[in-house]
Amino acid sequence: YQADFLVDRTATERSALGRFALWVRDAMVYSSSVKLVLDQIEEGGRYLDYSTGDGEAILLARKHRPDLEVCATEFSDPLRDLVIQRSPEIEVRKDLDDYDAGQLFDTISVLSVLEHVYSPEELLGKVHEHLVPGGRLVVDVPNPESYQLRWTKENWWTWVAPRHMYLMDLRTLADLLDRTGFEMVEQRHFHLRN
């Protein structure tokens, strides 16, 4: 499913309704994810968004914090090309393995990604290797114990097998983070976008 979520912002921006929809989307992405990430990074820090998708998070990060060095990964060639086209000053590579071992970041975000990968433990191990000592990891995953699931039951948006291979409750996520060298220091249980 490499590019089936591709959004053509240029076409959408042509109408007033489209511009409003993009404004709402950007506001939700910023308030739900990006602001949390940016609050973790000191001035002039290095930030990497793993599997950035269409790049909304990193474009908003760049807009709100031009002092940061912003980088990303995206495995999908069409999405990576789109991000590079939209913001050529942001370094976007296919995977973390494409960054040298000595390239470290102050903060790495893994937003709505862990549920999609074959080995979340392996991914977080790689992420850990690319963080400065004391660096921050910001993770966003669907919560199978959420109120959203209780309200929507079988219509919960995140029942998207086979795309979501793992659904982790808080205890499972905390164990995974611990096994990969991380310590959970903060948790939030509401995500406006999702």
Side-chain angles (χ1 to χ4, degrees):
Y1 62 101
Q2 281 217 11
D4 60 351
F5 290 127
L6 189 59
V7 174
D8 182 357
R9 284 185 72 97
T10 326
T12 307
E13 289 171 344
R14 291 187 187 127
S15 73
L17 183 58
R19 287 189 300 277
F20 177 73
L22 289 173
W23 177 82
V24 169
R25 178 180 182 224
D26 288 352
M28 288 191 309
V29 170
Y30 180 75
S31 65
S32 296
S33 301
V34 176
K35 184 172 183 333
L36 173 63
V37 171
L38 296 180
D39 288 348
Q40 307 300 314
I41 311 171
E42 293 185 20
E43 187 170 336
R46 297 189 76 213
Y47 163 50
L48 180 127
D49 183 37
Y50 183 87
S51 194
T52 197
D54 65 2
E56 285 307 303
I58 60 172
L59 295 173
L60 289 167
R62 199 74 179 122
K63 175 182 173 184
H64 291 276
R65 290 285 304 279
D67 62 291
L68 298 180
E69 180 183 343
V70 177
C71 300
T73 68
E74 177 49 51
F75 80 96
S76 164
D77 294 333
L79 288 173
R80 191 172 57 258
D81 292 345
L82 174 69
V83 174
I84 292 168
Q85 174 190 355
R86 290 171 67 192
S87 196
E89 75 281 359
I90 295 177
E91 182 180 343
V92 184
R93 300 200 182 171
K94 188 167 186 140
D95 194 43
L96 273 173
D97 294 335
D98 297 329
Y99 286 95
D100 293 333
Q103 286 184 283
L104 303 179
F105 299 90
D106 299 295
T107 299
I108 297 178
S109 60
V110 181
L111 306 174
S112 298
V113 171
L114 288 180
E115 64 273 18
H116 294 272
V117 299
Y118 292 116
S119 177
E121 190 164 348
E122 181 181 335
L123 171 60
L124 290 180
K126 288 180 181 182
V127 166
H128 196 274
E129 292 171 6
H130 284 279
L131 278 170
V132 299
R136 296 282 179 133
L137 166 68
V138 178
V139 175
D140 168 348
V141 293
N143 180 359
E145 295 179 339
S146 70
Y147 288 116
Q148 290 170 335
L149 172 60
R150 292 178 196 165
W151 293 330
T152 59
K153 298 181 171 86
E154 69 275 357
N155 296 314
W156 188 38
W157 71 271
T158 204
W159 295 129
V160 288
R163 293 178 180 189
H164 287 179
M165 293 179 261
Y166 299 97
L167 293 176
M168 294 174 248
D169 61 21
L170 188 58
R171 186 174 39 261
T172 303
L173 178 60
D175 288 345
L176 173 64
L177 292 170
D178 186 58
R179 285 194 315 272
T180 52
F182 293 101
E183 174 188 356
M184 189 180 299
V185 295
E186 182 180 348
Q187 53 185 285
R188 297 187 185 183
H189 297 275
F190 180 74
H191 195 289
L192 195 70
R193 177 175 55 155
N194 297 330

